Amino acid sequence: PVTMEIIYWEHWGSMDDPGYVNKQLNKLKEYRKAGIILGVNLFVTMETMSNPLCPETIYQFIDDFLS
């Protein structure tokens, strides 16, 4: 709200599925064409079955990038 910038946050939850990963990589190409750039105005959190996303990671992400 302070800067009025639009920031996108996507969660990729099946990163141990190669087909899903490929789909997300293709999505990044489309985002880039639309001016949505990873690390600039697009941030991504990820998880796998063996490494689930925990609430602490979400809170840290918010503190680091959205506060």
Side-chain angles (χ1 to χ4, degrees), residues 4-60:
M4 299 303 291
E5 292 178 84
I6 296 175
I7 304 235
Y8 299 88
W9 175 2
E10 245 195 71
H11 178 71
W12 298 351
S14 298
M15 294 304 287
D16 36 11
D17 175 350
Y20 180 85
V21 171
N22 193 46
K23 179 181 172 187
Q24 301 315 318
L25 294 175
N26 286 327
K27 190 186 293 186
L28 282 178
K29 291 177 190 176
E30 294 302 313
Y31 280 165
R32 191 169 217 354
K33 291 178 189 175
I36 303 169
I37 301 166
L38 185 62
V40 175
N41 57 353
L42 170 64
F43 297 92
V44 176
T45 50
M46 301 174 209
E47 69 182 316
T48 65
M49 292 292 279
S50 61
N51 289 296
L53 183 65
C54 63
E56 292 79 19
T57 301
I58 295 170
Y59 298 139
Q60 188 63 52

